[in-house]
Amino acid sequence: MLIKRIIGIIFAFLSAATFADDTDMYRADPITSPAKIMLVLDTSGSMNSELSDCDDTVFDYCDMSKLELAKSALKDFLILNDDATNADIIWSDDVEIGFAGYTKSNIGNIRLPVRALGDVYALNDAGEAKTHRQHLIDEINELDAGNNTPLLRSYLENIHYLLGKNSAFYPTGYTTAAGIFADKPEYAGIPQNQCVNRVSLVMLTDGLSVGETLKANTGWKNDDDTNVKFFELLELFIDDGTPSDYVCDIHTSVFDKTDDDEIDTDFWTCTNTVADALFKNHAISTHVIAYNLDDEAGAALSGWATNGGGFYRSADSAAELSSAFSDIIGNAETVSQSFTAVVPGVTVNPANRFTFLDDIYFSVFKPTDKKLWYGNLKKYSLEDFLDGDVVNNVTGFFKDTARSDWLALGEPDDGGDIYLGGSAGEIPSNYLTRKLYVGLS
């Protein structure tokens, strides 16, 4: 919600005389924003292999590589079939999608910027002007697989692109499509308006990280070997827009560890922390598609998506892979579509309508792909806002520690959770105790 803008509107109304009912609700115009998606596709060597446990008596694609199946599934959302049987799943021209993969040096790189599929442009000065949709199809067709699975490096590189920071692993940048770099090595990034520019970072992988363990890997160290580059890259501007302490409570001692389980635990603890911070402070959600992976590997990836505010989907067949893309990107489209930001209601003093009380009411709703959106009404005091107890002034979101006025003593903080507190929390769970009064005259 546009809370920072909303507060300004409240104060504007506080200074004006008005005649109204006891509670006036001022609503903003609907704000539209297309889905913004960064798709990172695994191009490691294992993607050249076929699906495990594929029954060729049932499926006709068992002799295809996992990469070819993934490419085919993606193109089903981009290219209309001759008989139009996929018309209902084709991504619209206003959906904004970027594309990334791995390099032969086991680092991620951005191949196409996040742009609307209907945009027409040339990849470079000598290139042909095409729609972004066609550029994406061309990139998918040209994909090949090789080398390791740099999950974390590619994740960090994509984060730096989305936030408009310098490249994490390319000191001078690299040759790629127009619009990705603002001024090498600084990425152009995308607008960071969390209220209307929510971004979905989708990671498709057929394996856990390979070739980038924290233990004794010089690729994660600075030249002087005194600090670990890995941790420097995790300073994600957590609080007020300036570099904070490391977001992971582990340090260079990780290089002294010899137990693989300990190293893996540190790796995923740190990665999950990054995903959580990215979602809460930048409204960038992390989604993971585990492609033909066993349950143990899937458990680690599931935590990554959960901490990142996204979805986890496993896929062991062409249909499941298509369903995973549909679920994740379809949800991103739904949540990013037009919604109404509700400006807080301010209460008028019934004894003197030229003055206002210090109560502020928020109507809050959670967009979904269903016809019914869950909503709630929450009450706060103006003093709580002035003290900075309710809103994070950097992100514009409710703080996790915010408490609406109707919470009972001992109840957990409701923060930005619309399911907790508010008027909904006052409704008895036993509907038999509720009474409806009607007038018969």
Side-chain angles (χ1 to χ4, degrees), residues 90-332:
I90 290 291
W91 295 330
S92 62
D93 280 348
D94 64 343
V95 174
E96 298 183 15
I97 296 183
F99 192 59
Y102 306 155
T103 66
K104 300 300 183 183
S105 56
N106 296 323
I107 303 174
N109 70 336
I110 317 303
R111 304 189 181 198
L112 289 176
V114 176
R115 293 189 65 157
L117 290 174
D119 286 355
V120 178
Y121 66 100
L123 291 180
N124 51 59
D125 293 339
E128 177 186 355
K130 302 178 183 178
T131 64
H132 187 58
R133 182 187 301 273
Q134 188 57 54
H135 286 310
L136 181 54
I137 293 169
D138 292 344
E139 283 291 329
I140 291 171
N141 286 334
E142 293 172 7
L143 283 177
D144 58 3
N147 291 327
N148 293 327
T149 307
L151 271 186
L152 186 56
R153 292 189 191 195
S154 61
Y155 187 51
L156 290 174
E157 193 66 35
N158 276 274
I159 290 172
H160 280 230
Y161 161 68
L162 294 172
L163 297 182
K165 299 173 67 176
N166 285 351
S167 170
F169 296 100
Y170 300 91
T172 59
Y174 52 92
T175 301
T176 187
I180 290 178
F181 283 103
D183 184 17
K184 293 180 181 179
E186 181 185 358
Y187 282 119
I190 61 175
Q192 292 299 301
N193 184 332
Q194 292 92 342
C195 296
V196 296
N197 284 326
R198 292 176 177 269
V199 180
S200 297
L201 179 52
V202 183
M203 307 288 295
L204 181 147
T205 180
D206 76 336
L208 299 180
S209 289
V210 178
E212 60 176 5
T213 56
L214 300 186
K215 177 185 172 186
N217 188 326
T218 56
W220 293 110
K221 295 184 180 180
N222 289 329
D223 293 338
D224 59 6
D225 205 34
T226 56
N227 296 306
V228 183
K229 185 177 181 180
F230 173 82
F231 298 106
E232 292 182 349
L233 295 173
L234 302 184
E235 294 185 346
L236 290 177
F237 302 87
I238 299 302
D239 297 314
D240 58 357
T242 58
S244 69
D245 293 335
Y246 293 141
V247 296
C248 302
D249 190 22
I250 51 177
H251 307 285
T252 55
S253 60
V254 72
F255 285 92
D256 299 326
K257 294 182 177 180
T258 58
D259 185 275
D260 288 341
D261 288 338
E262 288 186 69
I263 294 172
D264 286 344
T265 298
D266 280 343
F267 181 94
W268 284 110
T269 297
C270 209
T271 303
N272 291 344
T273 304
V274 173
D276 178 74
L278 193 65
F279 178 64
K280 289 182 178 177
N281 299 301
H282 299 285
I284 298 175
S285 55
T286 300
H287 307 267
V288 179
I289 300 175
Y291 189 23
N292 207 211
L293 282 174
D294 59 39
D295 292 341
E296 183 178 355
L301 295 172
S302 175
W304 188 14
T306 300
N307 282 277
F311 294 109
Y312 168 80
R313 295 289 185 270
S314 61
D316 293 310
S317 67
E320 289 177 352
L321 184 59
S322 179
S323 177
F325 282 129
S326 181
D327 288 349
I328 292 174
I329 297 181
N331 180 78

Side-chain angles (χ1 to χ4, degrees), residues 42 71 74 105 118 145 220 368 373 399 424 441:
D42 188 339
K71 292 161 67 170
L74 279 173
S105 56
W220 293 110
T368 71
W373 287 8
K399 291 184 175 180
S441 59

